[in-house]
Amino acid sequence: MVRVTTSDRRSVLRAGAGLVAGGAFAAACSPFTSPSGAVAPHAPASASPGSASPTRAPKAPARPLAAPAPRAFPRQPAQISHGPSGRSRVALTFHGQGEPSVARALLGEAERHGARVTVLAVGSWLDAHPDLARRILDGGHDLGNHTQRHLDINAMPEAEAAAEITGCAERLRRLTGSIGTWFRPSRATRASPLVATLARRAGYPHVLSYDVDSLDFTSPGAAAVARNILGGIRDGSVVSLHFGYADTVAALPAVLDELDRRGLRAVTTTELIG
């Protein structure tokens, strides 16, 4: 097992300390509660001056992106939580919301290790930071839909839940020319039957779940995040992580080093399933 040393953790957390102190990190989307016992709202980081309004779809980029569309995998279930085994691959999937500098740090760290990840973006986050759609795709990563406002979609009436899915899909289409490769429900590990049906109607053949939860949204420390991932990950695993948390930034290098040692390659979910 790889150990995240105190010095490693301090070096990265020092860079993120200002963000933590400023309250810039978003709350998690997992159904678990925070250490205080309450599920914190997953509010987007404040938009910088001149950025798009969180309630308005961003303008399409001047240079269209060649973004892939969702694919149907006939041998896979409607809700995918694990890829095929026997190929020495895993998928690291990030719930996309939070301070942009933390997102860029995580993407850069993955790329330095030759890893590719999957980002399920919140629509309001894309409204505030539309340039991140290009950053994710230009890095060779998957980009998908994590609803427009990141509310408890399984508890919503049909019309409201449908609007959450299609609202984020429209943001992605305007920015990239595609609705994104995957859909993941907000504040839930799995979609309800209704939400899964609505996702299919919106153009997503599969709902993306996961079989390993890093629990990074609880801010347990970088060493604990690494243990949570490495203790459960295996060939074909889909791991849930989040943008917006310093512990995740600090843990990622050790996680990727250990995956390399085990001969497991971190790839996009499309590559894992395909």
Side-chain angles (χ1 to χ4, degrees):
M1 180 64 64
V2 168
R3 299 181 61 187
V4 180
T5 66
T6 302
S7 59
D8 288 338
R9 182 182 176 200
R10 286 176 177 170
S11 64
V12 181
L13 291 182
R14 191 176 297 117
L19 295 174
V20 176
F25 294 125
C29 58
S30 171
F32 293 94
T33 56
S34 67
S36 63
V39 177
H42 201 337
S46 299
S48 59
S51 63
S53 167
T55 59
R56 185 182 307 159
K59 295 180 180 179
R63 176 171 62 86
L65 292 167
R71 288 175 54 189
F73 297 94
R75 297 183 179 181
Q76 293 296 326
Q79 299 206 47
I80 295 174
S81 60
H82 192 280
S85 59
R87 301 170 65 187
S88 300
R89 296 175 179 178
V90 297
L92 304 180
T93 67
F94 289 84
H95 301 229
Q97 191 170 3
E99 174 59 41
S101 63
V102 178
R104 292 189 180 96
L106 286 163
L107 292 170
E109 191 62 47
E111 290 158 11
R112 278 189 290 275
H113 281 77
R116 295 295 177 265
V117 304
T118 299
V119 180
L120 294 312
V122 175
S124 58
W125 185 67
L126 293 174
D127 286 340
H129 311 290
D131 59 301
L132 284 173
R134 183 183 300 278
R135 170 66 185 88
I136 291 163
L137 291 174
D138 282 352
H141 310 288
D142 270 355
L143 178 62
N145 180 332
H146 197 36
T147 75
Q148 176 58 25
R149 296 176 296 162
H150 200 274
L151 304 175
D152 184 358
I153 191 168
N154 283 346
M156 292 179 177
E158 181 174 348
E160 189 176 353
E164 283 294 308
I165 299 170
T166 59
C168 185
E170 181 59 24
R171 265 67 173 176
L172 288 164
R173 192 194 305 276
R174 286 172 180 261
L175 289 170
T176 73
S178 164
I179 64 171
T181 50
W182 299 96
F183 167 75
R184 173 172 286 168
S186 50
R187 297 193 179 274
T189 302
R190 294 178 62 84
S192 67
L194 171 62
V195 170
T197 297
L198 295 174
R200 285 194 299 274
R201 289 178 186 170
Y204 302 96
H206 304 279
V207 172
L208 181 60
S209 184
Y210 49 87
D211 66 299
V212 177
D213 194 343
S214 69
L215 299 178
D216 56 352
F217 65 92
T218 66
S219 298
V225 171
R227 285 195 302 270
N228 291 338
I229 297 170
L230 297 171
I233 201 168
R234 60 193 187 279
D235 186 10
S237 282
V238 178
V239 184
S240 171
L241 300 112
H242 296 75
F243 284 169
Y245 291 87
D247 287 348
T248 314
V249 182
L252 192 59
V255 168
L256 292 171
D257 284 343
E258 177 64 10
L259 293 181
D260 286 344
R261 190 189 70 79
R262 297 183 188 182
L264 294 174
R265 181 183 172 208
V267 299
T268 65
T269 306
T270 299
E271 187 175 358
L272 177 74
I273 304 301

